[in-house]
PDB file of all heavy atoms in Angstrom:
ATOM      1  N   PHE A   1      -5.988 -10.199  17.291  1.00 97.00           N
ATOM      2  CA  PHE A   1      -4.831  -9.309  17.203  1.00 97.00           C
ATOM      3  C   PHE A   1      -4.118  -9.500  15.861  1.00 97.00           C
ATOM      4  O   PHE A   1      -3.774  -8.532  15.176  1.00 97.00           O
ATOM      5  CB  PHE A   1      -3.856  -9.564  18.365  1.00 97.00           C
ATOM      6  CG  PHE A   1      -2.615  -8.724  18.290  1.00 97.00           C
ATOM      7  CD1 PHE A   1      -2.624  -7.414  18.728  1.00 97.00           C
ATOM      8  CD2 PHE A   1      -1.438  -9.232  17.752  1.00 97.00           C
ATOM      9  CE1 PHE A   1      -1.486  -6.623  18.641  1.00 97.00           C
ATOM     10  CE2 PHE A   1      -0.291  -8.458  17.667  1.00 97.00           C
ATOM     11  CZ  PHE A   1      -0.316  -7.145  18.112  1.00 97.00           C
ATOM     12  N   GLY A   2      -3.884 -10.741  15.484  1.00 97.00           N
ATOM     13  CA  GLY A   2      -3.236 -11.028  14.208  1.00 97.00           C
ATOM     14  C   GLY A   2      -4.027 -10.489  13.030  1.00 97.00           C
ATOM     15  O   GLY A   2      -3.457  -9.946  12.072  1.00 97.00           O
ATOM     16  N   LEU A   3      -5.339 -10.619  13.093  1.00 97.00           N
ATOM     17  CA  LEU A   3      -6.185 -10.081  12.019  1.00 97.00           C
ATOM     18  C   LEU A   3      -6.123  -8.556  11.969  1.00 97.00           C
ATOM     19  O   LEU A   3      -6.108  -7.965  10.883  1.00 97.00           O
ATOM     20  CB  LEU A   3      -7.635 -10.557  12.198  1.00 97.00           C
ATOM     21  CG  LEU A   3      -7.891 -12.019  11.837  1.00 97.00           C
ATOM     22  CD1 LEU A   3      -9.279 -12.452  12.316  1.00 97.00           C
ATOM     23  CD2 LEU A   3      -7.742 -12.242  10.340  1.00 97.00           C
ATOM     24  N   ALA A   4      -6.079  -7.912  13.131  1.00 96.00           N
ATOM     25  CA  ALA A   4      -5.967  -6.443  13.150  1.00 96.00           C
ATOM     26  C   ALA A   4      -4.669  -5.997  12.495  1.00 96.00           C
ATOM     27  O   ALA A   4      -4.652  -5.043  11.710  1.00 96.00           O
ATOM     28  CB  ALA A   4      -6.065  -5.918  14.584  1.00 96.00           C
ATOM     29  N   VAL A   5      -3.581  -6.694  12.794  1.00 96.00           N
ATOM     30  CA  VAL A   5      -2.293  -6.379  12.165  1.00 96.00           C
ATOM     31  C   VAL A   5      -2.382  -6.610  10.658  1.00 96.00           C
ATOM     32  O   VAL A   5      -1.938  -5.774   9.855  1.00 96.00           O
ATOM     33  CB  VAL A   5      -1.155  -7.217  12.792  1.00 96.00           C
ATOM     34  CG1 VAL A   5       0.130  -7.084  12.002  1.00 96.00           C
ATOM     35  CG2 VAL A   5      -0.931  -6.803  14.246  1.00 96.00           C
ATOM     36  N   LEU A   6      -2.962  -7.729  10.257  1.00 96.00           N
ATOM     37  CA  LEU A   6      -3.112  -8.044   8.837  1.00 96.00           C
ATOM     38  C   LEU A   6      -3.921  -6.963   8.118  1.00 96.00           C
ATOM     39  O   LEU A   6      -3.575  -6.551   7.006  1.00 96.00           O
ATOM     40  CB  LEU A   6      -3.789  -9.409   8.667  1.00 96.00           C
ATOM     41  CG  LEU A   6      -4.071  -9.835   7.225  1.00 96.00           C
ATOM     42  CD1 LEU A   6      -2.761 -10.027   6.460  1.00 96.00           C
ATOM     43  CD2 LEU A   6      -4.913 -11.106   7.202  1.00 96.00           C
ATOM     44  N   GLY A   7      -4.983  -6.486   8.739  1.00 95.00           N
ATOM     45  CA  GLY A   7      -5.798  -5.423   8.143  1.00 95.00           C
ATOM     46  C   GLY A   7      -4.991  -4.169   7.883  1.00 95.00           C
ATOM     47  O   GLY A   7      -5.124  -3.537   6.827  1.00 95.00           O
ATOM     48  N   GLU A   8      -4.139  -3.799   8.827  1.00 90.00           N
ATOM     49  CA  GLU A   8      -3.300  -2.607   8.646  1.00 90.00           C
ATOM     50  C   GLU A   8      -2.307  -2.802   7.500  1.00 90.00           C
ATOM     51  O   GLU A   8      -2.098  -1.899   6.688  1.00 90.00           O
ATOM     52  CB  GLU A   8      -2.548  -2.278   9.942  1.00 90.00           C
ATOM     53  CG  GLU A   8      -3.431  -1.901  11.106  1.00 90.00           C
ATOM     54  CD  GLU A   8      -4.272  -0.662  10.861  1.00 90.00           C
ATOM     55  OE1 GLU A   8      -3.825   0.262  10.155  1.00 90.00           O
ATOM     56  OE2 GLU A   8      -5.394  -0.612  11.395  1.00 90.00           O
ATOM     57  N   ILE A   9      -1.715  -3.985   7.435  1.00 91.00           N
ATOM     58  CA  ILE A   9      -0.746  -4.262   6.374  1.00 91.00           C
ATOM     59  C   ILE A   9      -1.426  -4.223   5.010  1.00 91.00           C
ATOM     60  O   ILE A   9      -0.921  -3.586   4.069  1.00 91.00           O
ATOM     61  CB  ILE A   9      -0.056  -5.633   6.607  1.00 91.00           C
ATOM     62  CG1 ILE A   9       0.840  -5.560   7.846  1.00 91.00           C
ATOM     63  CG2 ILE A   9       0.733  -6.069   5.383  1.00 91.00           C
ATOM     64  CD1 ILE A   9       1.357  -6.906   8.316  1.00 91.00           C
ATOM     65  N   LEU A  10      -2.570  -4.881   4.888  1.00 93.00           N
ATOM     66  CA  LEU A  10      -3.276  -4.912   3.606  1.00 93.00           C
ATOM     67  C   LEU A  10      -3.704  -3.517   3.166  1.00 93.00           C
ATOM     68  O   LEU A  10      -3.587  -3.166   1.988  1.00 93.00           O
ATOM     69  CB  LEU A  10      -4.483  -5.848   3.692  1.00 93.00           C
ATOM     70  CG  LEU A  10      -4.162  -7.331   3.839  1.00 93.00           C
ATOM     71  CD1 LEU A  10      -5.433  -8.139   4.065  1.00 93.00           C
ATOM     72  CD2 LEU A  10      -3.403  -7.839   2.622  1.00 93.00           C
ATOM     73  N   GLU A  11      -4.202  -2.733   4.107  1.00 88.00           N
ATOM     74  CA  GLU A  11      -4.609  -1.372   3.738  1.00 88.00           C
ATOM     75  C   GLU A  11      -3.400  -0.553   3.297  1.00 88.00           C
ATOM     76  O   GLU A  11      -3.479   0.221   2.338  1.00 88.00           O
ATOM     77  CB  GLU A  11      -5.293  -0.676   4.914  1.00 88.00           C
ATOM     78  CG  GLU A  11      -5.764   0.705   4.537  1.00 88.00           C
ATOM     79  CD  GLU A  11      -5.957   1.643   5.704  1.00 88.00           C
ATOM     80  OE1 GLU A  11      -5.631   1.268   6.847  1.00 88.00           O
ATOM     81  OE2 GLU A  11      -6.416   2.763   5.466  1.00 88.00           O
ATOM     82  N   THR A  12      -2.291  -0.727   3.982  1.00 81.00           N
ATOM     83  CA  THR A  12      -1.094   0.058   3.679  1.00 81.00           C
ATOM     84  C   THR A  12      -0.544  -0.249   2.294  1.00 81.00           C
ATOM     85  O   THR A  12      -0.156   0.655   1.563  1.00 81.00           O
ATOM     86  CB  THR A  12      -0.014  -0.195   4.752  1.00 81.00           C
ATOM     87  OG1 THR A  12      -0.544   0.197   6.020  1.00 81.00           O
ATOM     88  CG2 THR A  12       1.238   0.598   4.468  1.00 81.00           C
ATOM     89  N   VAL A  13      -0.515  -1.506   1.922  1.00 86.00           N
ATOM     90  CA  VAL A  13       0.096  -1.867   0.639  1.00 86.00           C
ATOM     91  C   VAL A  13      -0.868  -1.760  -0.538  1.00 86.00           C
ATOM     92  O   VAL A  13      -0.436  -1.812  -1.699  1.00 86.00           O
ATOM     93  CB  VAL A  13       0.717  -3.283   0.677  1.00 86.00           C
ATOM     94  CG1 VAL A  13       1.779  -3.382   1.741  1.00 86.00           C
ATOM     95  CG2 VAL A  13      -0.327  -4.353   0.855  1.00 86.00           C
ATOM     96  N   ALA A  14      -2.150  -1.595  -0.287  1.00 88.00           N
ATOM     97  CA  ALA A  14      -3.135  -1.614  -1.366  1.00 88.00           C
ATOM     98  C   ALA A  14      -2.921  -0.501  -2.396  1.00 88.00           C
ATOM     99  O   ALA A  14      -3.021  -0.744  -3.600  1.00 88.00           O
ATOM    100  CB  ALA A  14      -4.552  -1.532  -0.792  1.00 88.00           C
ATOM    101  N   ALA A  15      -2.652   0.708  -1.951  1.00 83.00           N
ATOM    102  CA  ALA A  15      -2.460   1.820  -2.902  1.00 83.00           C
ATOM    103  C   ALA A  15      -1.238   1.562  -3.773  1.00 83.00           C
ATOM    104  O   ALA A  15      -1.281   1.780  -4.992  1.00 83.00           O
ATOM    105  CB  ALA A  15      -2.319   3.143  -2.160  1.00 83.00           C
ATOM    106  N   GLY A  16      -0.176   1.103  -3.163  1.00 84.00           N
ATOM    107  CA  GLY A  16       1.025   0.793  -3.930  1.00 84.00           C
ATOM    108  C   GLY A  16       0.795  -0.336  -4.915  1.00 84.00           C
ATOM    109  O   GLY A  16       1.265  -0.305  -6.051  1.00 84.00           O
ATOM    110  N   TYR A  17       0.045  -1.334  -4.490  1.00 88.00           N
ATOM    111  CA  TYR A  17      -0.267  -2.455  -5.368  1.00 88.00           C
ATOM    112  C   TYR A  17      -1.104  -1.978  -6.553  1.00 88.00           C
ATOM    113  O   TYR A  17      -0.867  -2.397  -7.693  1.00 88.00           O
ATOM    114  CB  TYR A  17      -1.014  -3.529  -4.582  1.00 88.00           C
ATOM    115  CG  TYR A  17      -1.368  -4.740  -5.412  1.00 88.00           C
ATOM    116  CD1 TYR A  17      -0.406  -5.691  -5.734  1.00 88.00           C
ATOM    117  CD2 TYR A  17      -2.661  -4.936  -5.867  1.00 88.00           C
ATOM    118  CE1 TYR A  17      -0.730  -6.798  -6.498  1.00 88.00           C
ATOM    119  CE2 TYR A  17      -2.999  -6.043  -6.622  1.00 88.00           C
ATOM    120  CZ  TYR A  17      -2.032  -6.968  -6.939  1.00 88.00           C
ATOM    121  OH  TYR A  17      -2.359  -8.059  -7.697  1.00 88.00           O
ATOM    122  N   GLY A  18      -2.061  -1.096  -6.287  1.00 89.00           N
ATOM    123  CA  GLY A  18      -2.876  -0.546  -7.376  1.00 89.00           C
ATOM    124  C   GLY A  18      -2.026   0.230  -8.361  1.00 89.00           C
ATOM    125  O   GLY A  18      -2.192   0.110  -9.573  1.00 89.00           O
ATOM    126  N   ALA A  19      -1.104   1.028  -7.853  1.00 86.00           N
ATOM    127  CA  ALA A  19      -0.206   1.781  -8.735  1.00 86.00           C
ATOM    128  C   ALA A  19       0.622   0.826  -9.593  1.00 86.00           C
ATOM    129  O   ALA A  19       0.786   1.033 -10.802  1.00 86.00           O
ATOM    130  CB  ALA A  19       0.714   2.681  -7.909  1.00 86.00           C
ATOM    131  N   ARG A  20       1.117  -0.216  -8.974  1.00 87.00           N
ATOM    132  CA  ARG A  20       1.944  -1.196  -9.690  1.00 87.00           C
ATOM    133  C   ARG A  20       1.124  -1.915 -10.766  1.00 87.00           C
ATOM    134  O   ARG A  20       1.594  -2.127 -11.880  1.00 87.00           O
ATOM    135  CB  ARG A  20       2.511  -2.198  -8.674  1.00 87.00           C
ATOM    136  CG  ARG A  20       3.432  -3.201  -9.251  1.00 87.00           C
ATOM    137  CD  ARG A  20       4.807  -2.625  -9.406  1.00 87.00           C
ATOM    138  NE  ARG A  20       5.725  -3.708  -9.752  1.00 87.00           N
ATOM    139  CZ  ARG A  20       6.789  -3.528 -10.478  1.00 87.00           C
ATOM    140  NH1 ARG A  20       7.115  -2.337 -10.898  1.00 87.00           N
ATOM    141  NH2 ARG A  20       7.554  -4.539 -10.769  1.00 87.00           N
ATOM    142  N   LYS A  21      -0.098  -2.298 -10.446  1.00 89.00           N
ATOM    143  CA  LYS A  21      -0.957  -2.996 -11.399  1.00 89.00           C
ATOM    144  C   LYS A  21      -1.362  -2.104 -12.580  1.00 89.00           C
ATOM    145  O   LYS A  21      -1.708  -2.603 -13.639  1.00 89.00           O
ATOM    146  CB  LYS A  21      -2.215  -3.534 -10.710  1.00 89.00           C
ATOM    147  CG  LYS A  21      -1.976  -4.807  -9.955  1.00 89.00           C
ATOM    148  CD  LYS A  21      -1.533  -5.882 -10.921  1.00 89.00           C
ATOM    149  CE  LYS A  21      -1.411  -7.215 -10.269  1.00 89.00           C
ATOM    150  NZ  LYS A  21      -0.858  -8.221 -11.151  1.00 89.00           N
ATOM    151  N   PHE A  22      -1.328  -0.804 -12.384  1.00 91.00           N
ATOM    152  CA  PHE A  22      -1.675   0.129 -13.454  1.00 91.00           C
ATOM    153  C   PHE A  22      -0.420   0.671 -14.134  1.00 91.00           C
ATOM    154  O   PHE A  22      -0.423   1.775 -14.664  1.00 91.00           O
ATOM    155  CB  PHE A  22      -2.533   1.262 -12.908  1.00 91.00           C
ATOM    156  CG  PHE A  22      -3.998   0.924 -12.788  1.00 91.00           C
ATOM    157  CD1 PHE A  22      -4.432  -0.139 -12.010  1.00 91.00           C
ATOM    158  CD2 PHE A  22      -4.954   1.676 -13.452  1.00 91.00           C
ATOM    159  CE1 PHE A  22      -5.762  -0.454 -11.895  1.00 91.00           C
ATOM    160  CE2 PHE A  22      -6.304   1.376 -13.344  1.00 91.00           C
ATOM    161  CZ  PHE A  22      -6.714   0.299 -12.565  1.00 91.00           C
ATOM    162  N   GLY A  23       0.642  -0.091 -14.088  1.00 87.00           N
ATOM    163  CA  GLY A  23       1.841   0.239 -14.855  1.00 87.00           C
ATOM    164  C   GLY A  23       2.904   1.019 -14.119  1.00 87.00           C
ATOM    165  O   GLY A  23       3.880   1.458 -14.735  1.00 87.00           O
ATOM    166  N   GLY A  24       2.773   1.193 -12.842  1.00 87.00           N
ATOM    167  CA  GLY A  24       3.755   1.971 -12.089  1.00 87.00           C
ATOM    168  C   GLY A  24       4.970   1.142 -11.703  1.00 87.00           C
ATOM    169  O   GLY A  24       4.950  -0.083 -11.722  1.00 87.00           O
ATOM    170  N   SER A  25       6.015   1.845 -11.345  1.00 87.00           N
ATOM    171  CA  SER A  25       7.254   1.204 -10.913  1.00 87.00           C
ATOM    172  C   SER A  25       7.190   0.933  -9.412  1.00 87.00           C
ATOM    173  O   SER A  25       6.239   1.322  -8.734  1.00 87.00           O
ATOM    174  CB  SER A  25       8.434   2.130 -11.212  1.00 87.00           C
ATOM    175  OG  SER A  25       8.304   3.321 -10.457  1.00 87.00           O
ATOM    176  N   LYS A  26       8.230   0.282  -8.903  1.00 86.00           N
ATOM    177  CA  LYS A  26       8.294   0.048  -7.463  1.00 86.00           C
ATOM    178  C   LYS A  26       8.335   1.375  -6.707  1.00 86.00           C
ATOM    179  O   LYS A  26       7.781   1.500  -5.625  1.00 86.00           O
ATOM    180  CB  LYS A  26       9.514  -0.804  -7.117  1.00 86.00           C
ATOM    181  CG  LYS A  26       9.385  -2.232  -7.555  1.00 86.00           C
ATOM    182  CD  LYS A  26      10.596  -3.046  -7.157  1.00 86.00           C
ATOM    183  CE  LYS A  26      10.438  -4.470  -7.653  1.00 86.00           C
ATOM    184  NZ  LYS A  26      11.603  -5.300  -7.345  1.00 86.00           N
ATOM    185  N   GLY A  27       8.975   2.350  -7.281  1.00 89.00           N
ATOM    186  CA  GLY A  27       9.031   3.667  -6.661  1.00 89.00           C
ATOM    187  C   GLY A  27       7.662   4.311  -6.544  1.00 89.00           C
ATOM    188  O   GLY A  27       7.383   5.027  -5.580  1.00 89.00           O
ATOM    189  N   SER A  28       6.799   4.055  -7.525  1.00 88.00           N
ATOM    190  CA  SER A  28       5.453   4.636  -7.457  1.00 88.00           C
ATOM    191  C   SER A  28       4.658   4.016  -6.323  1.00 88.00           C
ATOM    192  O   SER A  28       3.748   4.649  -5.775  1.00 88.00           O
ATOM    193  CB  SER A  28       4.713   4.481  -8.788  1.00 88.00           C
ATOM    194  OG  SER A  28       4.418   3.136  -9.058  1.00 88.00           O
ATOM    195  N   MET A  29       5.002   2.790  -5.946  1.00 87.00           N
ATOM    196  CA  MET A  29       4.331   2.167  -4.801  1.00 87.00           C
ATOM    197  C   MET A  29       4.634   2.943  -3.526  1.00 87.00           C
ATOM    198  O   MET A  29       3.736   3.251  -2.745  1.00 87.00           O
ATOM    199  CB  MET A  29       4.781   0.710  -4.661  1.00 87.00           C
ATOM    200  CG  MET A  29       4.349  -0.183  -5.800  1.00 87.00           C
ATOM    201  SD  MET A  29       5.032  -1.849  -5.713  1.00 87.00           S
ATOM    202  CE  MET A  29       4.170  -2.489  -4.287  1.00 87.00           C
ATOM    203  N   LEU A  30       5.894   3.282  -3.339  1.00 89.00           N
ATOM    204  CA  LEU A  30       6.289   4.062  -2.164  1.00 89.00           C
ATOM    205  C   LEU A  30       5.723   5.484  -2.247  1.00 89.00           C
ATOM    206  O   LEU A  30       5.249   6.031  -1.248  1.00 89.00           O
ATOM    207  CB  LEU A  30       7.809   4.103  -2.031  1.00 89.00           C
ATOM    208  CG  LEU A  30       8.358   4.881  -0.837  1.00 89.00           C
ATOM    209  CD1 LEU A  30       7.830   4.318   0.474  1.00 89.00           C
ATOM    210  CD2 LEU A  30       9.868   4.869  -0.850  1.00 89.00           C
ATOM    211  N   ALA A  31       5.748   6.056  -3.451  1.00 91.00           N
ATOM    212  CA  ALA A  31       5.206   7.406  -3.627  1.00 91.00           C
ATOM    213  C   ALA A  31       3.713   7.436  -3.323  1.00 91.00           C
ATOM    214  O   ALA A  31       3.208   8.407  -2.743  1.00 91.00           O
ATOM    215  CB  ALA A  31       5.479   7.892  -5.050  1.00 91.00           C
ATOM    216  N   ALA A  32       2.993   6.376  -3.692  1.00 89.00           N
ATOM    217  CA  ALA A  32       1.559   6.304  -3.386  1.00 89.00           C
ATOM    218  C   ALA A  32       1.335   6.244  -1.877  1.00 89.00           C
ATOM    219  O   ALA A  32       0.441   6.916  -1.353  1.00 89.00           O
ATOM    220  CB  ALA A  32       0.937   5.090  -4.073  1.00 89.00           C
ATOM    221  N   LEU A  33       2.144   5.454  -1.188  1.00 87.00           N
ATOM    222  CA  LEU A  33       2.024   5.351   0.265  1.00 87.00           C
ATOM    223  C   LEU A  33       2.303   6.690   0.934  1.00 87.00           C
ATOM    224  O   LEU A  33       1.537   7.154   1.789  1.00 87.00           O
ATOM    225  CB  LEU A  33       2.976   4.290   0.805  1.00 87.00           C
ATOM    226  CG  LEU A  33       3.068   4.175   2.323  1.00 87.00           C
ATOM    227  CD1 LEU A  33       1.722   3.809   2.920  1.00 87.00           C
ATOM    228  CD2 LEU A  33       4.113   3.167   2.724  1.00 87.00           C
ATOM    229  N   LEU A  34       3.394   7.331   0.527  1.00 90.00           N
ATOM    230  CA  LEU A  34       3.718   8.643   1.098  1.00 90.00           C
ATOM    231  C   LEU A  34       2.653   9.672   0.729  1.00 90.00           C
ATOM    232  O   LEU A  34       2.303  10.530   1.539  1.00 90.00           O
ATOM    233  CB  LEU A  34       5.097   9.097   0.630  1.00 90.00           C
ATOM    234  CG  LEU A  34       6.271   8.245   1.130  1.00 90.00           C
ATOM    235  CD1 LEU A  34       7.581   8.713   0.503  1.00 90.00           C
ATOM    236  CD2 LEU A  34       6.350   8.262   2.636  1.00 90.00           C
ATOM    237  N   GLY A  35       2.131   9.562  -0.496  1.00 92.00           N
ATOM    238  CA  GLY A  35       1.049  10.457  -0.911  1.00 92.00           C
ATOM    239  C   GLY A  35      -0.203  10.272  -0.072  1.00 92.00           C
ATOM    240  O   GLY A  35      -0.885  11.242   0.265  1.00 92.00           O
ATOM    241  N   CYS A  36      -0.516   9.019   0.274  1.00 87.00           N
ATOM    242  CA  CYS A  36      -1.667   8.740   1.154  1.00 87.00           C
ATOM    243  C   CYS A  36      -1.517   9.482   2.475  1.00 87.00           C
ATOM    244  O   CYS A  36      -2.448  10.155   2.932  1.00 87.00           O
ATOM    245  CB  CYS A  36      -1.770   7.248   1.448  1.00 87.00           C
ATOM    246  SG  CYS A  36      -2.513   6.253   0.176  1.00 87.00           S
ATOM    247  N   LEU A  37      -0.344   9.343   3.057  1.00 87.00           N
ATOM    248  CA  LEU A  37      -0.107   9.981   4.357  1.00 87.00           C
ATOM    249  C   LEU A  37      -0.156  11.501   4.239  1.00 87.00           C
ATOM    250  O   LEU A  37      -0.815  12.176   5.033  1.00 87.00           O
ATOM    251  CB  LEU A  37       1.238   9.527   4.918  1.00 87.00           C
ATOM    252  CG  LEU A  37       1.369   8.042   5.218  1.00 87.00           C
ATOM    253  CD1 LEU A  37       2.796   7.689   5.613  1.00 87.00           C
ATOM    254  CD2 LEU A  37       0.396   7.625   6.298  1.00 87.00           C
ATOM    255  N   GLY A  38       0.550  12.026   3.238  1.00 91.00           N
ATOM    256  CA  GLY A  38       0.575  13.481   3.059  1.00 91.00           C
ATOM    257  C   GLY A  38      -0.793  14.050   2.727  1.00 91.00           C
ATOM    258  O   GLY A  38      -1.195  15.088   3.254  1.00 91.00           O
ATOM    259  N   GLY A  39      -1.516  13.367   1.846  1.00 90.00           N
ATOM    260  CA  GLY A  39      -2.861  13.829   1.480  1.00 90.00           C
ATOM    261  C   GLY A  39      -3.811  13.810   2.658  1.00 90.00           C
ATOM    262  O   GLY A  39      -4.619  14.728   2.838  1.00 90.00           O
ATOM    263  N   ALA A  40      -3.710  12.770   3.473  1.00 86.00           N
ATOM    264  CA  ALA A  40      -4.575  12.691   4.654  1.00 86.00           C
ATOM    265  C   ALA A  40      -4.299  13.847   5.604  1.00 86.00           C
ATOM    266  O   ALA A  40      -5.222  14.484   6.120  1.00 86.00           O
ATOM    267  CB  ALA A  40      -4.376  11.350   5.363  1.00 86.00           C
TER     268      ALA A  40
END
């Protein structure tokens, strides 16, 4: 159960982390997450 929760958390933050690592702001992390949901 703990691993399943961890998997969801890691997947959720990964897009934001990628945006941040490529020069994005903290806001771009949230925008990436919202974009993931909207795009899906």
